[in-house]
Amino acid sequence: MNKRFEFVEKEGFSEGAKIIVDKETGVQYLLAYWTSIGGLTVLVDKDGKPLLDPRYAK
């Protein structure tokens, strides 16, 4: 089965943060986590539009 989300490591990010890409839409999300708490948010450009991974953007 093909997984919908891909975890992507980015240079310069601490251990508590990762980028997740939705392979169906190309939308990128930031996952931040510390011990028992965390958060997830969509990454946006300067115009407020979601950042898209060109490998998956439609």
Side-chain angles (χ1 to χ4, degrees), residues 6-25:
E6 174 184 0
F7 286 84
V8 180
E9 300 280 343
K10 292 288 185 180
E11 185 177 334
F13 276 82
S14 70
E15 274 186 36
K18 292 188 181 196
I19 303 235
I20 300 173
V21 176
D22 180 337
K23 295 193 296 186
E24 288 187 14
T25 64

Side-chain angles (χ1 to χ4, degrees), residues 21-40:
V21 176
D22 180 337
K23 295 193 296 186
E24 288 187 14
T25 64
V27 175
Q28 297 181 54
Y29 300 88
L30 175 66
L31 172 65
Y33 53 92
W34 296 269
T35 34
S36 63
I37 61 172
L40 181 71

